[in-house]
């Protein structure tokens, strides 16, 4: 007796080979009917023997294609009809969208094998791909995911590619970027002035030669341009830093294999797995001392960001580089001046760098959506995402939410947007800091993109409470209901969203800056929180930011403000601390008056600013070059401390109504020992600071032992702090949570805001 079902499958089920998988599965089980892509997922009308149908449905749920993610399989039983064979119907568009967007993926082993096979028509073709790999999000213009809705629509398929594309038994069936050397995109090497220098294999050969001779090439990839140079050549790396206006922030490198990587870094098995995974992120791994890499790549950082080639073009470039007998390690950094959005076309990259470039390796497949490289590291026993982008983003989750669309606008720094629709929620790729018009424009484009893709008009908008944020100001002109979420509450909510928690929880939100309810600058907060409310139940002892934002650029001002809580101005001057060497008596007097009056010197309880002051105290930093530099320097110094040292430094919670974490004793102890004068003392003091924060978290967690603990905010990107917390976690039944897929820094704020907005009436 035959049975018949109408099945709807939602999740990441387009652009991942789902329809040919369904077709082949139906043929294997002798079922008839059809399958179709629609805006709300994949629909299947299928009939046959009951046992075969049950096995078919179970396989859909349990063993989908490798890049697919099945969120839901809905089955509606129909009356059997007359049907012969099984067909794949053309896609249809629905008013409701329930399908999730697939992120771009690294090239698969099967495609690499074909690319290296001289007998294959894909031999040395730099855009080879199939349903298991290649671009998705970066070429998508609208849903459903069909070729006519991507930037590949300008390339007509040749007869051979057309045959593959229309054969349900072929790996390239409806792989939308399918093409070959005869019908697809091509690569061109041009000068910065636009002169054609070479194309195809000759272009790659010339690029390898330019890099070997110390040049810098802009290379167009999946979601934007990289700036590339030989990582072994100091002069090239220095030039690249000058071009990007990036003085000290470490560069990432691309290497051709695990064997090469092991010459430069070492790590745990999970780090090597992350490096080799399909998303192919940059993995921050422990550096080895190696003379083959220029010191300017990462200076004294204990870590080196490493990634593997993830496009066919990368693999071909490394092949050419090996022909020259060169060490296969290249700096690959985002194609933009620091602070500007990632360049996605040659005109943009040339406008930013001009004739400082020694060439532009371009291709003619347009990039619809910019997407940077993802960055991860190992901390607290888990691989944790620091920058959510290519390979992981757009990040989507199945959700039980069934309300009206909600769009969360994120923060000012490391901006992202998040959206909730019935059945799912999603987080955009990393966009950047919204401090310039170009990045603000990119942000607005991405916000509009997701509304257009999902054909929704949000009825509820969620933003930060800071009135000066660009994202907050946008809400003044938006229709619908606007909700504000305090910055640090949103940090806690982001982790709650990842683990589907609604509270109550004990949350530690430690970061650089966020506007507090009392008008001061928060950033070392302990909150009892749920999805509706929060209560501040502890915070770092406040100190002043002398001159406001200027203090963030000059950490000596923060150090002075903290010292003024312990000593007189005269005593501070007598310390002769090198951080104050450039200050005159008038400088001291003026800054002291600002501190006394409080004018332009707001109170601050920020753990991030505490790290700035500590780095300054220890002589590690005069002026920060990038966000989080002080934390990285303190972490590096702490790693040089004797691991089993019993640190005398500790911070304790006060007896105030809202307890304050008192940093005064450890500051006075460090000052009185002249900590900045000896490297060993610096290392011990940095380790002591990290231990003190971890111990303070243990203390407060014990007071609320029945509540799950959440740690979030940029300070928790510190590996030593996270490792110590997770060591404690092993010895307690209290649950500890922190972000894994969703970054704990400000790029996770949007999902926290969204989680709040989804739970309001």
């Amino acid at each position: 007796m035959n049975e018949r079902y109408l099945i709807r499958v939602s999740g990441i089920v387009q652009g991942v080979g789902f329809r040919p998988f369904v077709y082949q599965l139906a043929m294997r089980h002798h079922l008839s009917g059809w399958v179709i892509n629609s805006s709300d997922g994949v629909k299947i009308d299928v009939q046959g023997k009951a046992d075969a149908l049950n096995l078919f449905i179970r396989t859909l749920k349990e063993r989908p294609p490798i890049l697919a993610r099945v969120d839901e399989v809905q089955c509606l039983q129909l009356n059997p009809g007359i049907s012969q064979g099984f067909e794949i119907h053309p896609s249809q568009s629905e008013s409701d969208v329930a399908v999730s967007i697939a992120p771009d993926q690294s090239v698969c082993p099967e495609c690499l094998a074909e690319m290296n096979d001289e007998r294959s028509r894909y031999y040395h073709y730099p855009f080879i791909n199939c349903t298991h790999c290649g671009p998705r999000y970066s070429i998508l213009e609208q849903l459903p995911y069909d070729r006519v809705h991507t930037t590949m629509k300008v390339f007509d398929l040749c007869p051979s590619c057309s045959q593959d594309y229309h054969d349900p038994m072929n790996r390239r069936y409806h792989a939308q970027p399918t093409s070959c050397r005869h019908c697809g995109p091509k690569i061109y090497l041009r000068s910065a002035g636009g002169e054609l220098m070479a194309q195809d294999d000759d272009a790659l050969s010339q690029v390898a030669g330019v890099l070997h001779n110390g040049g810098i090439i802009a290379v167009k990839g999946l979601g934007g341009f990289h700036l590339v140079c030989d990582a072994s050549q100091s002069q090239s790396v220095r030039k690249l830093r000058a071009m990007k206006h990036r003085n000290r922030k470490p560069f990432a490198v691309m290497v051709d294999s695990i064997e090469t990587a092991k010459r430069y870094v070492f790590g745990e098995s999970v780090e090597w797995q992350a490096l080799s995974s399909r998303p192919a992120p940059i993995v921050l791994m422990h550096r080895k001392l190696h003379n083959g890499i220029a010191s300017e790549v990462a200076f004294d950082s204990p870590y080196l960001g490493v990634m593997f080639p993830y496009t066919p073009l990368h693999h071909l470039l490394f092949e050419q580089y090996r022909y020259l007998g060169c060490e296969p390690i290249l700096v690959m950094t985002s194609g933009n001046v620091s602070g500007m959005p990632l360049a996605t076309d040659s005109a943009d990259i040339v406008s930013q760098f001009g004739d400082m470039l020694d060439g532009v390796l371009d291709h003619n497949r347009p990039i619809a959506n910019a997407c940077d490289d993802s960055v991860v590291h190992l901390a607290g026993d888990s691989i944790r995402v620091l920058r959510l982008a290519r390979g992981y983003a757009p990040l989507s989750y199945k959700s039980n939410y069934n309300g009206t669309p909600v769009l969360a606008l994120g923060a000012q720094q490391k901006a992202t947007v998040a959206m909730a629709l019935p059945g799912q929620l999603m987080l955009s790729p990393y966009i950047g800091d919204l401090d310039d018009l170009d990045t603000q424009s990119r942000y607005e484009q991405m916000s509009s993109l997701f509304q257009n893709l999902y054909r929704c008009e949000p009825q509820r908008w969620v933003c930060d409470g800071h009135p000066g944020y660009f994202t907050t100001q946008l809400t003044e002109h938006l229709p619908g209901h606007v909700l504000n979420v305090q910055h640090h509450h949103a940090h806690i909510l982001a982790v709650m969203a990842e683990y589907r928690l609604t509270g109550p929880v004990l949350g530690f939100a430690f970061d650089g800056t966020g506007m507090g309810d009392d008008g001061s600058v928060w950033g070392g907060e302990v909150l009892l929180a749920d999805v509706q409310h929060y209560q501040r139940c502890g915070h770092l002892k406040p100190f002043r930011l002398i001159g406001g934002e200027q203090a963030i650029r000059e950490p000596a001002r923060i150090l002075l403000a903290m010292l003024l809580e312990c000593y007189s101005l005269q005593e501070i001057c007598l310390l002769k601390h090198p951080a104050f060497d450039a200050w005159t008596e008038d400088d001291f007097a003026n800054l002291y008056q600002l501190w006394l009056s409080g004018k332009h010197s707001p109170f601050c309880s920020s753990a991030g600013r505490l790290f700035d002051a500590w780095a300054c105290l220890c002589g590690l930093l005069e002026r920060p070059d990038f966000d989080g530099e002080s934390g990285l320097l303190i972490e590096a110094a702490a790693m040089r401390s004797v691991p089993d040292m019993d640190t005398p430094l500790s911070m304790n919670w006060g007896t105030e109504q809202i307890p304050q974490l008192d940093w005064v004793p450890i500051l006075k102890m460090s000052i009185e020992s002249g900590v900045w004068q000896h490297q060993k003392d610096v290392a011990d003091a940095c380790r002591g600071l990290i231990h003190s924060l971890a111990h303070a978290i243990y203390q407060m967690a014990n007071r609320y032992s029945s509540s799950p603990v959440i740690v979030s905010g940029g300070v928790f990107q510190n590996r030593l702090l996270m490792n110590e917390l997770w060591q404690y976690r092993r010895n307690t039944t209290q649950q500890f949570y922190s972000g894994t897929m969703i970054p704990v820094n400000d790029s996770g704020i949007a999902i926290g805001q969204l989680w709040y907005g989804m739970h309001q009436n």
Side-chain angles (χ1 to χ4, degrees):
M1 181 72 178
N2 277 0
E3 292 183 356
R4 179 186 175 198
Y5 287 96
L6 180 64
I7 302 171
R8 186 180 77 93
V9 187
S10 61
I12 299 179
V13 291
Q14 294 184 14
V16 293
F18 205 88
R19 287 179 298 168
F21 163 75
V22 170
Y23 177 90
Q24 294 168 27
L25 190 61
M27 299 298 284
R28 191 181 315 144
H29 293 294
H30 307 290
L31 302 173
S32 61
W34 49 261
V35 60
I36 192 171
N37 263 355
S38 71
S39 303
D40 64 346
V42 168
K43 291 180 180 177
I44 309 164
D45 188 330
V46 60
Q47 65 178 346
K49 293 183 179 179
D51 288 348
L53 274 174
N54 290 336
L55 188 56
F56 174 86
I57 294 168
R58 193 167 74 217
T59 305
L60 288 180
K61 295 177 180 178
E62 298 175 0
R63 296 195 298 277
I66 191 166
L67 295 182
R69 191 196 73 228
V70 173
D71 289 342
E72 189 174 22
V73 177
Q74 297 177 331
C75 299
L76 175 66
Q77 189 161 6
L78 304 175
N79 292 326
I82 299 173
S83 145
Q84 302 248 338
F86 198 89
E87 297 178 346
I88 299 178
H89 287 176
S91 298
Q92 65 183 30
S93 184
E94 307 271 347
S95 57
D96 294 325
V97 176
V99 68
S100 296
I101 304 167
D104 296 350
Q105 296 293 330
S106 59
V107 60
C108 69
E110 293 84 358
C111 284
L112 275 182
E114 287 180 294
M115 188 187 73
N116 293 318
D117 183 355
E118 294 183 11
R119 298 164 298 177
S120 169
R121 64 191 179 89
Y122 296 108
Y123 179 63
H124 274 201
Y125 181 55
F127 300 98
I128 185 172
N129 69 91
C130 69
T131 54
H132 302 151
C133 66
R136 300 292 191 273
Y137 166 73
S138 62
I139 62 171
L140 180 65
E141 294 176 332
Q142 70 180 78
L143 291 170
Y145 178 71
D146 283 321
R147 194 176 180 98
V148 294
H149 298 148
T150 73
T151 59
M152 286 298 298
K153 63 180 180 289
V154 298
F155 300 100
D156 294 329
L157 292 166
C158 68
S160 296
C161 286
S162 181
Q163 182 176 346
D164 290 350
Y165 183 83
H166 291 98
D167 179 3
M169 304 303 289
N170 192 286
R171 198 172 85 249
R172 293 188 173 86
Y173 177 79
H174 278 230
Q176 308 309 342
T178 289
S179 60
C180 71
R181 193 178 298 276
H182 303 293
C183 63
K186 299 185 182 301
I187 58 173
Y188 308 91
L189 177 61
R190 291 190 172 92
S191 68
E195 177 188 355
L196 181 64
M197 300 164 65
Q199 60 188 74
D200 300 328
D201 287 349
D202 288 341
L204 289 166
S205 177
Q206 288 197 32
V207 166
V210 171
L211 295 174
H212 175 55
N213 290 320
I216 295 174
I217 300 287
V219 177
K220 186 176 181 181
L222 281 180
F225 273 89
H226 282 118
L227 296 177
V228 185
C229 74
D230 188 314
S232 69
Q233 301 189 35
S234 292
Q235 186 173 351
S236 301
V237 181
R238 287 197 298 270
K239 179 183 175 184
L240 182 55
R241 288 197 173 278
M243 288 169 60
K244 279 183 65 76
H245 303 163
R246 183 166 160 177
N247 297 325
R248 294 190 299 272
K249 187 176 181 181
F251 283 135
V253 297
M254 183 177 282
V255 298
D256 64 340
S257 65
I258 284 183
E259 290 71 24
T260 303
K262 285 182 176 178
R263 295 204 285 271
Y264 299 98
V265 294
F266 59 90
E268 304 292 335
S269 59
V270 291
E271 294 174 285
W272 294 113
Q273 290 167 15
L275 191 62
S276 306
S277 65
R278 285 184 177 270
I282 296 170
V283 184
L284 299 182
M285 302 181 72
H286 288 272
R287 287 175 64 184
K288 290 182 177 179
L289 293 177
H290 193 286
N291 293 329
I293 185 170
S295 62
E296 293 87 353
V297 170
F299 294 109
D300 295 326
S301 171
Y303 309 114
L304 181 65
V306 181
M307 60 178 158
F308 285 160
Y310 57 83
T311 70
L313 187 148
H314 292 145
H315 283 274
L316 291 171
L317 176 57
F318 272 99
E319 181 179 306
Q320 292 292 334
Y321 217 58
R322 287 191 295 269
Y323 284 156
L324 298 176
C326 302
E327 179 74 355
I329 177 167
L330 299 172
V331 170
M332 285 254 180
T333 187
S334 304
N336 59 296
V337 173
S338 291
M340 296 287 286
L342 180 65
T344 57
D345 59 60
S346 57
D348 193 4
I349 198 80
V350 170
S351 71
Q352 291 191 51
F353 299 104
D355 58 10
M356 290 185 288
L357 292 168
D358 295 293
V360 178
L361 185 61
D362 198 6
H363 63 72
N364 59 340
R365 182 177 68 200
I367 295 172
N369 305 304
C371 198
D372 217 324
D373 293 316
S374 291
V375 182
V376 306
H377 74 171
L378 174 63
D381 295 344
S382 295
I383 293 292
R384 302 182 188 275
V385 175
L386 302 176
R387 183 167 71 196
L388 184 79
R390 176 193 48 76
Y392 297 123
L395 177 67
S396 59
Y397 289 105
K398 179 185 176 183
S399 167
N400 295 324
Y401 180 70
N402 199 31
T404 57
V406 183
L407 193 131
L409 298 169
Q412 180 77 3
Q413 307 302 315
K414 300 177 176 63
T416 54
V417 294
M419 189 161 63
L421 298 164
Q424 68 172 312
L425 56 90
M426 56 75 57
L427 178 63
S428 78
Y430 165 91
I431 302 168
D433 297 346
L434 302 179
D435 298 327
D436 63 90
L437 292 174
D438 294 293
T439 312
Q440 290 171 7
S441 176
R442 176 71 57 81
Y443 172 90
E444 291 185 283
Q445 290 169 14
M446 188 171 289
S447 176
S448 298
L449 168 71
F450 288 105
Q451 294 174 63
N452 294 335
L453 286 176
Y454 288 95
R455 297 173 199 155
C456 72
E457 295 183 8
Q459 302 301 304
R460 183 176 293 166
W461 307 80
V462 196
C463 65
D464 196 275
H466 196 304
Y469 281 7
F470 173 75
T471 50
T472 305
Q473 294 167 355
L474 281 178
T475 61
E476 297 174 7
H477 309 290
L478 295 174
H481 185 47
V482 176
L483 299 169
N484 296 97
V485 183
Q486 198 278 329
H487 188 87
H488 300 96
H489 189 200
H491 268 308
I492 302 304
L493 288 162
V495 180
M496 293 173 68
E498 181 167 358
Y499 292 96
R500 305 296 195 277
L501 305 176
T502 56
V505 300
L506 180 69
F508 294 84
F510 289 4
D511 66 355
T513 300
M515 192 182 77
D517 291 341
D518 57 3
S520 68
V521 178
W522 287 8
E525 311 309 311
V526 188
L527 309 177
L528 276 173
D530 58 27
V531 291
Q532 300 282 346
H533 311 97
Y534 70 92
Q535 175 188 346
R536 195 185 193 198
C537 59
H539 59 85
L540 192 69
K541 179 181 175 66
F543 47 87
R544 288 198 180 275
L545 294 177
I546 301 177
E549 291 285 331
Q550 189 65 24
I552 300 173
R553 293 186 286 273
E554 296 179 41
R557 291 175 178 235
I558 307 176
L559 178 59
L560 174 63
M562 296 177 75
L563 290 173
L564 284 168
E565 298 286 342
C566 313
Y567 303 100
S568 69
L569 182 62
Q570 184 180 11
E571 289 173 318
I572 295 170
C573 292
L574 291 173
L575 288 174
K576 301 295 184 183
H577 192 285
F580 310 134
D581 281 351
W583 290 358
T584 65
E585 286 187 17
D586 286 344
D587 292 329
F588 272 109
N590 291 335
L591 293 171
Y592 181 57
Q593 286 303 316
L594 281 175
W595 178 81
L596 274 180
S597 67
K599 187 177 182 181
H600 306 301
S601 300
F603 274 113
C604 167
S605 59
S606 164
R609 302 289 80 87
L610 171 64
F611 271 80
D612 290 343
W614 206 257
C616 186
L617 168 69
C618 293
L620 300 173
L621 181 71
E622 291 184 13
R623 287 175 177 263
D625 179 54
F626 58 92
D627 182 45
E629 184 178 17
S630 59
L632 182 61
L633 291 170
I634 287 170
E635 185 175 349
M639 291 168 66
R640 297 191 289 270
S641 176
V642 179
D644 59 354
M645 180 198 74
D646 292 327
T647 174
L649 299 182
S650 64
M651 289 188 283
N652 294 302
W653 297 96
T655 57
E656 301 87 354
Q657 185 176 1
I658 300 177
Q660 297 183 9
L661 184 58
D662 190 1
W663 42 262
V664 168
I666 67 169
L667 179 62
K668 292 182 74 171
M669 185 177 295
S670 299
I671 286 291
E672 289 159 15
S673 69
V675 65
W676 61 90
Q677 296 173 346
H678 304 286
Q679 283 194 357
K680 181 184 181 302
D681 291 344
V682 166
D684 292 346
C686 289
R687 181 177 177 271
L689 175 66
I690 292 170
H691 173 79
S692 297
L693 285 173
H695 184 67
I697 291 171
Y698 307 157
Q699 288 180 319
M700 185 61 77
N702 283 333
R703 297 187 187 184
Y704 297 87
S705 57
S706 61
S707 297
V709 174
I710 283 176
V711 296
S712 188
V715 168
F716 292 106
Q717 293 178 152
N718 186 296
R719 294 198 203 198
L720 298 187
L721 177 58
M722 287 292 288
N723 291 344
E724 189 159 347
L725 288 174
W726 254 247
Q727 183 66 40
Y728 169 78
R729 180 193 185 205
R730 298 188 194 107
N731 301 318
T732 180
T733 58
Q734 195 170 12
Q735 291 295 309
F736 271 62
Y737 299 93
S738 192
T740 49
M741 281 303 298
I742 295 175
V744 294
N745 58 45
D746 277 10
S747 58
I749 287 286
I751 205 78
Q753 294 170 344
L754 188 73
W755 197 239
Y756 177 85
M758 290 166 59
H759 288 89
Q760 306 309 303
N761 295 325

